[in-house]
Amino acid sequence: MACGWLRFFAASARARPAARTLRALGGGLRGGEARRAQQRLLPRWGRYHTHTKRHILPPPFFVRIKGFYCVDTHVAKPGVPMRILLVSGESSVARIARSLKSANDVSACICGVRSATNRSLQNSLDRIGVACWHSDSLTSDSLPRRMYEAEIDILISFRCPKILPESVLNAPKIGAFNLHTGPLPEYAGLNAPSWAIFNGEDYHGCTLHWMDPGIDTGNIVSASRIPISDSETGISLTGKCVEAGVNLIAELVSLIRRGEAIPTTPQDPSSRVYYSKAVPNSGVVDWSWDSAKIERFVRASYFHPFTSPWGTPAACVNGRIFGILSGRAIQVISGEPGTIAWRGENYLDIATGKGIMRILEVVTDGQPSTVEELGI
Protein backbone atom coordinates (compact mmCIF):
# COMPACT_ATOMS: atom_id res chain seq x y z
CA MET A 1 0.00 0.00 0.00
CA ALA A 2 1.20 3.45 -0.91
CA CYS A 3 1.85 5.09 2.40
CA GLY A 4 2.29 2.14 4.67
CA TRP A 5 5.91 1.92 3.52
CA LEU A 6 6.79 5.60 3.21
CA ARG A 7 8.77 5.49 6.44
CA PHE A 8 11.15 3.07 4.75
CA PHE A 9 11.85 5.27 1.73
CA ALA A 10 15.08 6.67 3.09
CA ALA A 11 16.52 3.17 3.49
CA SER A 12 15.36 1.87 0.13
CA ALA A 13 17.36 2.63 -2.98
CA ARG A 14 14.54 1.33 -5.15
CA ALA A 15 12.19 3.88 -3.60
CA ARG A 16 14.29 6.93 -4.43
CA PRO A 17 12.37 7.81 -7.64
CA ALA A 18 9.10 7.71 -5.73
CA ALA A 19 10.63 9.73 -2.90
CA ARG A 20 11.77 12.35 -5.39
CA THR A 21 8.24 12.42 -6.79
CA LEU A 22 6.82 13.04 -3.31
CA ARG A 23 9.33 15.82 -2.73
CA ALA A 24 8.31 17.32 -6.05
CA LEU A 25 4.67 17.24 -5.02
CA GLY A 26 5.58 18.81 -1.70
CA GLY A 27 7.52 21.49 -3.55
CA GLY A 28 4.34 22.96 -4.94
CA LEU A 29 3.82 21.50 -8.41
CA ARG A 30 0.54 22.46 -9.94
CA GLY A 31 -1.66 21.43 -12.85
CA GLY A 32 -0.11 19.12 -15.45
CA GLU A 33 3.20 18.86 -13.62
CA ALA A 34 1.50 17.60 -10.47
CA ARG A 35 -0.62 15.14 -12.42
CA ARG A 36 2.43 13.75 -14.24
CA ALA A 37 4.25 13.44 -10.92
CA GLN A 38 1.28 11.54 -9.48
CA GLN A 39 1.18 9.27 -12.52
CA ARG A 40 4.84 8.36 -12.01
CA LEU A 41 3.89 7.34 -8.49
CA LEU A 42 0.84 5.28 -9.47
CA PRO A 43 2.34 2.19 -11.15
CA ARG A 44 4.27 1.03 -8.10
CA TRP A 45 2.74 2.77 -5.14
CA GLY A 46 -1.00 3.07 -5.87
CA ARG A 47 -3.24 6.13 -6.11
CA TYR A 48 -2.45 9.33 -4.28
CA HIS A 49 -5.22 11.06 -2.34
CA THR A 50 -5.08 14.68 -1.32
CA HIS A 51 -8.76 15.31 -0.48
CA THR A 52 -8.83 13.31 2.73
CA LYS A 53 -5.92 15.12 4.41
CA ARG A 54 -5.29 12.01 6.50
CA HIS A 55 -2.62 9.32 6.78
CA ILE A 56 -2.64 5.63 7.63
CA LEU A 57 0.72 5.38 9.38
CA PRO A 58 0.68 4.27 13.02
CA PRO A 59 1.82 7.05 15.38
CA PRO A 60 4.40 8.51 15.49
CA PHE A 61 5.11 7.80 11.81
CA PHE A 62 3.28 10.70 10.19
CA VAL A 63 4.14 11.71 6.63
CA ARG A 64 2.94 15.17 5.76
CA ILE A 65 3.61 16.78 2.41
CA LYS A 66 3.12 20.53 2.20
CA GLY A 67 -0.24 20.96 3.83
CA PHE A 68 -1.79 17.57 3.22
CA TYR A 69 -1.24 13.96 4.18
CA CYS A 70 -0.36 11.09 1.90
CA VAL A 71 -2.89 8.31 2.37
CA ASP A 72 -3.80 5.01 0.81
CA THR A 73 -7.01 5.34 -1.21
CA HIS A 74 -8.39 2.10 0.20
CA VAL A 75 -11.31 2.09 -2.21
CA ALA A 76 -13.63 -0.61 -0.90
CA LYS A 77 -14.47 -3.44 -3.25
CA PRO A 78 -18.00 -4.80 -3.60
CA GLY A 79 -18.65 -7.51 -1.06
CA VAL A 80 -15.64 -6.52 1.07
CA PRO A 81 -16.73 -5.09 4.46
CA MET A 82 -15.51 -1.63 5.36
CA ARG A 83 -14.18 -1.35 8.90
CA ILE A 84 -15.94 1.49 10.71
CA LEU A 85 -15.38 2.47 14.32
CA LEU A 86 -18.42 4.15 15.86
CA VAL A 87 -17.68 6.28 18.92
CA SER A 88 -20.70 7.37 20.92
CA GLY A 89 -22.15 7.88 24.36
CA GLU A 90 -25.70 7.05 23.27
CA SER A 91 -27.54 3.74 23.07
CA SER A 92 -28.97 4.87 19.72
CA VAL A 93 -25.57 4.06 18.25
CA ALA A 94 -26.86 0.48 17.93
CA ARG A 95 -29.46 1.79 15.47
CA ILE A 96 -26.68 3.27 13.34
CA ALA A 97 -24.68 0.04 13.54
CA ARG A 98 -27.67 -2.05 12.41
CA SER A 99 -28.35 0.26 9.49
CA LEU A 100 -24.76 0.17 8.33
CA LYS A 101 -24.66 -3.60 8.53
CA SER A 102 -27.89 -4.07 6.60
CA ALA A 103 -27.69 -1.23 4.09
CA ASN A 104 -24.03 -1.31 3.14
CA ASP A 105 -22.67 -4.67 4.32
CA VAL A 106 -20.38 -2.72 6.64
CA SER A 107 -18.50 -4.32 9.52
CA ALA A 108 -18.46 -1.87 12.45
CA CYS A 109 -16.67 -1.67 15.77
CA ILE A 110 -18.35 0.20 18.62
CA CYS A 111 -16.59 2.19 21.28
CA GLY A 112 -19.32 3.35 23.64
CA VAL A 113 -18.48 6.08 26.14
CA ARG A 114 -21.21 5.51 28.70
CA SER A 115 -22.99 2.62 27.06
CA ALA A 116 -20.20 0.11 26.41
CA THR A 117 -20.81 -1.48 29.81
CA ASN A 118 -24.56 -1.58 29.27
CA ARG A 119 -25.44 -5.26 28.95
CA SER A 120 -28.52 -4.79 26.75
CA LEU A 121 -26.58 -2.63 24.30
CA GLN A 122 -23.71 -5.08 24.18
CA ASN A 123 -26.12 -7.96 23.56
CA SER A 124 -27.76 -6.10 20.68
CA LEU A 125 -24.34 -5.46 19.14
CA ASP A 126 -23.34 -9.10 19.59
CA ARG A 127 -26.45 -10.20 17.71
CA ILE A 128 -25.40 -8.24 14.62
CA GLY A 129 -21.75 -9.27 14.89
CA VAL A 130 -20.31 -5.94 16.02
CA ALA A 131 -17.40 -5.86 18.45
CA CYS A 132 -17.89 -3.66 21.51
CA TRP A 133 -14.76 -1.90 22.68
CA HIS A 134 -14.78 -0.77 26.28
CA SER A 135 -15.20 2.94 26.99
CA ASP A 136 -11.90 3.04 28.88
CA SER A 137 -10.09 2.66 25.57
CA LEU A 138 -10.97 6.27 24.69
CA THR A 139 -8.57 7.54 27.31
CA SER A 140 -5.92 4.94 26.51
CA ASP A 141 -2.75 5.95 24.71
CA SER A 142 -2.87 2.60 22.91
CA LEU A 143 -6.16 3.36 21.07
CA PRO A 144 -4.50 4.76 17.91
CA ARG A 145 -2.29 1.69 17.68
CA ARG A 146 -5.28 -0.60 18.24
CA MET A 147 -7.21 1.17 15.50
CA TYR A 148 -4.28 0.77 13.13
CA GLU A 149 -3.93 -2.91 13.92
CA ALA A 150 -7.69 -3.37 13.40
CA GLU A 151 -7.29 -1.61 10.03
CA ILE A 152 -10.06 0.87 10.78
CA ASP A 153 -11.04 2.67 7.59
CA ILE A 154 -13.15 5.48 9.01
CA LEU A 155 -14.12 6.67 12.48
CA ILE A 156 -17.59 8.11 12.99
CA SER A 157 -18.37 9.98 16.17
CA PHE A 158 -21.97 10.48 17.29
CA ARG A 159 -22.84 12.52 20.39
CA CYS A 160 -19.53 11.65 21.99
CA PRO A 161 -19.12 13.59 25.26
CA LYS A 162 -15.33 13.36 25.11
CA ILE A 163 -12.99 15.37 22.92
CA LEU A 164 -10.97 12.83 20.95
CA PRO A 165 -7.20 13.48 20.76
CA GLU A 166 -5.64 14.24 17.40
CA SER A 167 -3.75 10.95 17.46
CA VAL A 168 -7.10 9.12 17.39
CA LEU A 169 -8.45 11.35 14.61
CA ASN A 170 -5.38 10.60 12.51
CA ALA A 171 -5.45 6.83 13.04
CA PRO A 172 -8.16 5.74 10.52
CA LYS A 173 -7.01 4.97 6.98
CA ILE A 174 -9.43 7.38 5.34
CA GLY A 175 -10.50 9.82 8.03
CA ALA A 176 -12.53 10.67 11.12
CA PHE A 177 -16.03 12.15 10.83
CA ASN A 178 -18.58 13.50 13.28
CA LEU A 179 -22.33 13.14 12.90
CA HIS A 180 -23.67 16.32 14.48
CA THR A 181 -27.38 16.53 15.29
CA GLY A 182 -27.71 20.11 14.13
CA PRO A 183 -26.97 22.45 11.21
CA LEU A 184 -23.45 23.86 11.21
CA PRO A 185 -22.11 26.36 11.96
CA GLU A 186 -25.35 27.79 13.40
CA TYR A 187 -25.91 25.06 16.01
CA ALA A 188 -22.50 23.88 17.16
CA GLY A 189 -22.06 22.32 20.58
CA LEU A 190 -24.47 20.34 22.75
CA ASN A 191 -28.20 19.53 22.64
CA ALA A 192 -28.79 21.19 19.27
CA PRO A 193 -32.26 19.62 18.74
CA SER A 194 -33.52 20.96 22.07
CA TRP A 195 -32.14 24.42 21.37
CA ALA A 196 -33.74 24.48 17.92
CA ILE A 197 -37.17 23.70 19.42
CA PHE A 198 -36.72 26.24 22.21
CA ASN A 199 -35.64 28.94 19.72
CA GLY A 200 -38.79 28.36 17.66
CA GLU A 201 -37.03 27.20 14.49
CA ASP A 202 -39.14 25.92 11.60
CA TYR A 203 -36.33 23.67 10.34
CA HIS A 204 -33.43 21.81 11.86
CA GLY A 205 -30.75 19.64 10.30
CA CYS A 206 -28.05 17.02 10.67
CA THR A 207 -24.44 17.52 9.56
CA LEU A 208 -21.66 15.06 8.76
CA HIS A 209 -18.29 16.77 8.93
CA TRP A 210 -14.58 16.03 9.10
CA MET A 211 -13.19 15.98 12.62
CA ASP A 212 -10.35 18.26 13.67
CA PRO A 213 -9.02 19.30 17.09
CA GLY A 214 -11.83 21.88 17.43
CA ILE A 215 -15.44 21.24 18.49
CA ASP A 216 -17.77 20.95 15.48
CA THR A 217 -15.39 23.07 13.41
CA GLY A 218 -14.33 20.63 10.68
CA ASN A 219 -15.14 20.94 6.99
CA ILE A 220 -18.63 19.75 6.04
CA VAL A 221 -19.11 16.55 4.06
CA SER A 222 -22.91 16.60 3.75
CA ALA A 223 -26.01 17.88 5.55
CA SER A 224 -29.75 17.29 5.69
CA ARG A 225 -32.74 19.55 6.37
CA ILE A 226 -35.46 18.45 8.80
CA PRO A 227 -38.81 20.23 9.34
CA ILE A 228 -39.88 20.84 12.95
CA SER A 229 -43.53 20.13 13.72
CA ASP A 230 -45.67 22.06 16.20
CA SER A 231 -45.64 19.06 18.57
CA GLU A 232 -41.93 18.26 18.21
CA THR A 233 -40.09 17.10 21.34
CA GLY A 234 -36.43 16.75 22.14
CA ILE A 235 -36.48 12.99 21.74
CA SER A 236 -38.55 12.98 18.53
CA LEU A 237 -36.31 15.52 16.78
CA THR A 238 -33.18 13.70 17.95
CA GLY A 239 -34.63 10.50 16.48
CA LYS A 240 -35.20 12.24 13.15
CA CYS A 241 -31.60 13.45 13.23
CA VAL A 242 -30.40 9.88 13.79
CA GLU A 243 -32.44 8.66 10.82
CA ALA A 244 -31.10 11.45 8.61
CA GLY A 245 -27.58 10.81 9.90
CA VAL A 246 -27.75 7.13 8.95
CA ASN A 247 -28.46 8.21 5.37
CA LEU A 248 -25.56 10.67 5.40
CA ILE A 249 -23.19 7.96 6.64
CA ALA A 250 -24.48 5.52 3.99
CA GLU A 251 -23.87 8.17 1.31
CA LEU A 252 -20.33 8.67 2.61
CA VAL A 253 -19.63 4.92 2.49
CA SER A 254 -21.03 4.73 -1.04
CA LEU A 255 -18.87 7.70 -2.06
CA ILE A 256 -15.75 6.00 -0.74
CA ARG A 257 -16.61 2.74 -2.49
CA ARG A 258 -16.88 4.59 -5.81
CA GLY A 259 -13.46 6.13 -5.23
CA GLU A 260 -14.81 9.68 -5.43
CA ALA A 261 -13.43 12.68 -3.56
CA ILE A 262 -14.98 13.34 -0.16
CA PRO A 263 -16.39 16.90 0.02
CA THR A 264 -14.59 19.38 2.28
CA THR A 265 -16.76 22.48 2.45
CA PRO A 266 -15.36 24.99 4.98
CA GLN A 267 -17.68 26.42 7.61
CA ASP A 268 -18.35 30.15 7.87
CA PRO A 269 -16.92 31.16 11.27
CA SER A 270 -18.96 34.39 11.28
CA SER A 271 -22.18 32.33 11.45
CA ARG A 272 -21.00 30.05 14.24
CA VAL A 273 -23.09 29.81 17.41
CA TYR A 274 -21.87 27.45 20.14
CA TYR A 275 -24.26 26.00 22.72
CA SER A 276 -22.79 24.70 25.97
CA LYS A 277 -24.26 22.44 28.66
CA ALA A 278 -26.21 25.38 30.06
CA VAL A 279 -30.03 25.07 30.18
CA PRO A 280 -32.35 28.03 29.45
CA ASN A 281 -32.94 30.04 32.61
CA SER A 282 -31.09 27.34 34.60
CA GLY A 283 -33.96 24.94 33.97
CA VAL A 284 -36.63 27.05 35.69
CA VAL A 285 -39.85 28.19 34.01
CA ASP A 286 -40.24 31.96 33.96
CA TRP A 287 -43.95 32.71 34.04
CA SER A 288 -43.32 36.14 32.52
CA TRP A 289 -42.45 34.37 29.26
CA ASP A 290 -45.29 33.98 26.78
CA SER A 291 -47.06 30.61 26.90
CA ALA A 292 -45.71 29.53 23.49
CA LYS A 293 -42.12 29.90 24.72
CA ILE A 294 -42.86 27.92 27.88
CA GLU A 295 -44.45 25.16 25.82
CA ARG A 296 -41.36 25.02 23.57
CA PHE A 297 -39.19 24.78 26.68
CA VAL A 298 -41.24 21.85 27.97
CA ARG A 299 -41.22 20.05 24.59
CA ALA A 300 -37.50 20.66 24.09
CA SER A 301 -36.80 19.04 27.48
CA TYR A 302 -38.99 15.98 26.87
CA PHE A 303 -36.96 12.77 26.41
CA HIS A 304 -39.21 10.31 28.29
CA PRO A 305 -38.55 7.46 29.05
CA PHE A 306 -34.89 8.44 28.77
CA THR A 307 -33.07 10.99 30.91
CA SER A 308 -33.34 14.47 29.50
CA PRO A 309 -30.07 16.40 29.09
CA TRP A 310 -32.01 19.46 30.25
CA GLY A 311 -33.87 17.70 33.04
CA THR A 312 -37.55 18.50 33.65
CA PRO A 313 -38.45 22.23 33.63
CA ALA A 314 -39.06 23.30 37.22
CA ALA A 315 -42.01 25.52 38.12
CA CYS A 316 -43.44 27.11 41.24
CA VAL A 317 -47.14 27.87 41.77
CA ASN A 318 -48.58 28.97 45.13
CA GLY A 319 -45.35 27.91 46.81
CA ARG A 320 -45.55 24.37 45.37
CA ILE A 321 -42.48 23.33 43.34
CA PHE A 322 -42.89 20.69 40.64
CA GLY A 323 -41.67 19.72 37.19
CA ILE A 324 -43.69 20.12 34.00
CA LEU A 325 -43.59 16.97 31.90
CA SER A 326 -46.11 18.05 29.25
CA GLY A 327 -48.48 20.88 28.47
CA ARG A 328 -49.66 23.20 25.73
CA ALA A 329 -50.01 26.90 25.16
CA ILE A 330 -53.43 28.54 24.87
CA GLN A 331 -53.52 32.00 23.37
CA VAL A 332 -56.22 33.69 25.47
CA ILE A 333 -56.23 36.69 27.76
CA SER A 334 -54.48 35.80 31.00
CA GLY A 335 -54.07 37.29 34.46
CA GLU A 336 -51.05 37.82 36.70
CA PRO A 337 -48.15 35.61 35.48
CA GLY A 338 -47.69 32.56 37.70
CA THR A 339 -51.22 32.51 39.10
CA ILE A 340 -53.84 29.81 38.56
CA ALA A 341 -56.29 30.82 35.87
CA TRP A 342 -58.40 27.66 35.93
CA ARG A 343 -58.47 24.20 37.52
CA GLY A 344 -59.69 21.44 35.24
CA GLU A 345 -60.35 17.78 35.90
CA ASN A 346 -57.01 16.66 34.44
CA TYR A 347 -55.21 19.92 33.87
CA LEU A 348 -54.14 23.18 35.45
CA ASP A 349 -54.14 26.52 33.60
CA ILE A 350 -51.43 28.98 34.65
CA ALA A 351 -51.32 32.61 33.53
CA THR A 352 -48.16 33.71 31.71
CA GLY A 353 -46.77 36.90 30.25
CA LYS A 354 -48.94 36.25 27.21
CA GLY A 355 -51.59 33.53 27.12
CA ILE A 356 -52.27 30.50 29.29
CA MET A 357 -50.01 27.48 29.88
CA ARG A 358 -52.15 24.37 30.32
CA ILE A 359 -50.24 21.83 32.43
CA LEU A 360 -51.16 18.22 31.65
CA GLU A 361 -48.48 16.06 33.28
CA VAL A 362 -46.14 16.88 36.16
CA VAL A 363 -43.23 15.41 38.09
CA THR A 364 -43.09 15.48 41.89
CA ASP A 365 -40.33 14.01 44.02
CA GLY A 366 -38.71 12.69 40.86
CA GLN A 367 -41.75 10.65 39.83
CA PRO A 368 -44.46 11.34 37.21
CA SER A 369 -47.78 12.23 38.83
CA THR A 370 -51.14 13.75 38.00
CA VAL A 371 -52.11 17.39 38.30
CA GLU A 372 -54.62 16.47 41.02
CA GLU A 373 -51.80 15.11 43.19
CA LEU A 374 -50.16 18.54 43.30
CA GLY A 375 -52.74 19.67 45.84
CA ILE A 376 -52.80 23.29 44.71
Side-chain angles (χ1 to χ4, degrees), residues 325-373:
L325 197 59
S326 68
R328 62 187 179 91
I330 302 176
Q331 297 302 326
V332 296
I333 298 176
S334 59
E336 181 70 21
T339 60
I340 298 175
W342 185 261
R343 291 181 178 87
E345 183 177 354
N346 298 311
Y347 63 87
L348 187 66
D349 288 348
I350 306 297
T352 70
K354 181 180 179 182
I356 294 292
M357 181 63 188
R358 175 161 293 178
I359 301 174
L360 302 175
E361 296 177 282
V362 298
V363 174
T364 57
D365 299 325
Q367 299 295 325
S369 58
T370 63
V371 173
E372 291 85 349
E373 293 175 337

Side-chain angles (χ1 to χ4, degrees), residues 72-246:
D72 178 29
T73 57
H74 198 80
V75 177
K77 298 179 180 179
V80 178
M82 187 176 296
R83 296 176 177 87
I84 298 178
L85 176 62
L86 295 176
V87 181
S88 177
E90 302 290 338
S91 58
S92 55
V93 73
R95 165 73 178 89
I96 299 177
R98 285 193 298 269
S99 298
L100 289 174
K101 291 282 286 187
S102 61
N104 296 290
D105 191 26
V106 175
S107 176
C109 293
I110 306 295
C111 185
V113 177
R114 293 192 303 269
S115 304
T117 56
N118 185 293
R119 179 56 58 182
S120 61
L121 173 62
Q122 188 162 352
N123 289 340
S124 65
L125 296 176
D126 290 340
R127 284 194 294 270
I128 61 176
V130 173
C132 187
W133 293 3
H134 197 275
S135 59
D136 291 345
S137 62
L138 275 185
T139 57
S140 173
D141 294 335
S142 63
L143 179 58
R145 171 71 63 174
R146 183 180 184 183
M147 293 172 61
Y148 176 76
E149 292 174 348
E151 298 183 337
I152 297 299
D153 297 310
I154 61 176
L155 179 151
I156 296 178
S157 171
F158 172 67
R159 296 173 69 88
C160 179
K162 292 182 180 291
I163 298 177
L164 301 179
E166 193 169 4
S167 60
V168 172
L169 304 184
N170 291 330
K173 293 181 178 181
I174 296 174
F177 306 88
N178 180 52
L179 181 60
H180 181 66
T181 54
L184 291 175
E186 296 82 5
Y187 276 88
L190 304 175
N191 307 318
S194 294
W195 279 109
I197 295 173
F198 179 74
N199 292 339
E201 301 284 2
D202 294 324
Y203 289 89
H204 194 52
C206 186
T207 308
L208 184 65
H209 65 91
W210 290 90
M211 294 186 73
D212 58 21
I215 301 177
D216 301 330
T217 56
N219 290 346
I220 294 174
V221 175
S222 57
S224 64
R225 185 176 169 89
I226 303 171
I228 299 178
S229 69
D230 293 338
S231 60
E232 204 77 72
T233 64
I235 191 170
S236 67
L237 186 55
T238 299
K240 292 179 180 179
C241 289
V242 172
E243 294 296 327
V246 168

Side-chain angles (χ1 to χ4, degrees), residues 9 15 17 26 35 52 81 108 131 220 224 227 249 251 276 283 290 342 354:
F9 275 2
R35 284 193 295 272
T52 57
I220 294 174
S224 64
I249 296 172
E251 292 172 4
S276 64
D290 65 75
W342 185 261
K354 181 180 179 182

